[in-house]
Amino acid sequence: EKLSAADKHREFVVAVMKKLLEILISTEKSHEVELSIAKLFKELFLLPNHISLTEISKDVAIELIKADSSISQEVGGLLIKAKVDEWAESFTTGEIIKLSNNDILENRLAAREVFAKVAHRFSSETDSSQKELAKAVALLDSKWEDSRKHWFEVFRSFSQEVFTPAIVIAICDSVREDVQQFGREMIVRHFQEENGQEYLLKLSEHPSTDLQLFVTNYLEAYALNSPARLQHLKYYFISVLSRINKGRVAKTRVFRFLEMEAMKNQQAAEIVAEIVAWQSATMTISDKATAIEIMVKIANTYPHITLPISIQKPEVRHAV
């Protein structure tokens, strides 16, 4: 079957462009050749419907991004942006995350354009959407500040309904301070009364000083008058009180809360006694003094509770 002149032209152009892309992907190319090919493609990318781009697959773009040269990697990102309408739905959340964390700015920008096209995957209350959003939390943890700032704004645009406690807590679990701060912002913004206890218990396990302080804001609302919750939070209290020369405000709040709860009933007092007694041996002088004061109050109120202190009654001396 004979090809028309137009078809022959198209076939030739596509074949040449594919060959040029193979050169970019290869490790054997001169810098000058690479620059020339990259320049050609950057001009073509301004014409997204150009015949030379129609038969290029997403796999080629991914191979370019994996190339050993930043020039070729950038072409990969530009190619994704040029064909984002066609390819966006084929990108997995994991691929978008990887692209967003890429060293080349154009690739990070490509990740943003892809995500914008498939944002519906993450913005509903369906189980599948929740699973995808849980994965997408990793976008916030990018090593690039420009990416983190962008994703903060994207997540702020989502409705309250999609932010389950599990997702917000996953954000707070980051080791990056700006991401933790964003997580705290999301808790305050999307806080729902019925989820308070879950936030308290899960966040109490976090090692961050800032998050441990943040948790103290919820103690009186969700752990008041509840020995069972005191027991659940025991290791949080120990963690806060164990910090040497750190977390002074959190320590003060925890000591005050424990003392208040200990005076309410013997069950709560036994739990508080265990916490402060356990920590008193390793505390700094000022903290140890506070711990001893609490133990003395417990001993005076509930004499049958075992404590590592002995209260001596003052000797009564009679005048001669």
Side-chain angles (χ1 to χ4, degrees), residues 69-96:
S69 162
S70 60
I71 296 171
S72 297
Q73 291 173 29
E74 183 180 9
V75 171
L78 290 167
L79 178 55
I80 290 173
K81 289 168 68 177
K83 302 199 70 174
V84 67
D85 289 335
E86 180 183 341
W87 292 347
E89 289 293 346
S90 69
F91 274 86
T92 66
T93 302
E95 287 175 324
I96 298 172

Side-chain angles (χ1 to χ4, degrees), residues 93 115 118-137 155 158-159 161-164 167:
T93 302
F115 189 95
V118 298
H120 58 275
R121 288 189 204 163
F122 310 91
S123 55
S124 75
E125 297 178 66
T126 64
D127 288 343
S128 60
S129 182
Q130 289 288 298
K131 288 178 182 177
E132 290 305 304
L133 185 59
K135 295 176 188 175
V137 165
F155 273 61
F158 290 151
S159 67
E161 288 70 28
V162 305
F163 285 99
T164 63
I167 288 173

Side-chain angles (χ1 to χ4, degrees), residues 38-52:
K39 182 176 183 294
L40 170 64
F41 275 106
K42 287 177 182 180
E43 292 172 356
L44 289 175
F45 293 152
L46 299 175
L47 308 167
N49 296 319
H50 192 276
I51 60 172
S52 63

Side-chain angles (χ1 to χ4, degrees), residues 220-236:
E220 292 194 11
Y222 295 99
L224 202 67
N225 303 320
S226 175
R229 292 181 188 175
L230 270 185
Q231 184 66 34
H232 278 301
L233 291 169
K234 183 171 69 174
Y235 292 105
Y236 160 70

Side-chain angles (χ1 to χ4, degrees), residues 270-282:
E270 288 173 347
I271 296 167
V272 173
E274 183 181 357
I275 293 168
V276 295
W278 191 347
Q279 291 303 108
S280 62
T282 58

Side-chain angles (χ1 to χ4, degrees), residues 9-118:
H9 173 68
R10 175 190 179 87
E11 190 177 72
F12 173 75
V13 171
V14 170
V16 170
M17 291 302 126
K18 286 183 176 179
K19 185 61 180 177
L20 292 176
L21 287 169
E22 287 177 12
I23 294 172
L24 284 182
I25 293 169
S26 73
T27 56
E28 297 179 2
K29 56 185 178 289
S30 71
H31 183 65
E32 293 74 17
V33 168
E34 184 179 35
L35 283 174
S36 298
I37 296 175
K39 182 176 183 294
L40 170 64
F41 275 106
K42 287 177 182 180
E43 292 172 356
L44 289 175
F45 293 152
L46 299 175
L47 308 167
N49 296 319
H50 192 276
I51 60 172
S52 63
L53 303 178
T54 56
E55 294 187 29
I56 297 173
S57 70
K58 171 191 163 188
D59 290 341
V60 171
I62 299 299
E63 286 301 311
L64 282 166
I65 290 171
K66 294 178 180 178
D68 61 348
S69 162
S70 60
I71 296 171
S72 297
Q73 291 173 29
E74 183 180 9
V75 171
L78 290 167
L79 178 55
I80 290 173
K81 289 168 68 177
K83 302 199 70 174
V84 67
D85 289 335
E86 180 183 341
W87 292 347
E89 289 293 346
S90 69
F91 274 86
T92 66
T93 302
E95 287 175 324
I96 298 172
I97 293 167
K98 188 175 293 186
L99 199 58
S100 178
N101 209 33
N102 194 274
D103 291 348
I104 306 300
L105 176 60
E106 283 299 341
N107 296 334
R108 302 201 293 276
L109 296 176
R112 298 171 197 178
E113 291 199 20
V114 171
F115 189 95
K117 295 290 182 180
V118 298

Side-chain angles (χ1 to χ4, degrees), residues 192-222:
Q192 295 184 40
E193 189 83 11
E194 64 268 24
N195 298 326
Q197 186 179 353
E198 184 174 355
Y199 279 125
L200 182 63
L201 293 176
K202 293 289 177 63
L203 290 176
S204 70
E205 299 169 1
H206 202 285
S208 162
T209 301
D210 287 341
L211 275 170
Q212 289 191 343
L213 174 59
F214 183 75
V215 170
T216 63
N217 295 316
Y218 296 90
L219 285 177
E220 292 194 11
Y222 295 99

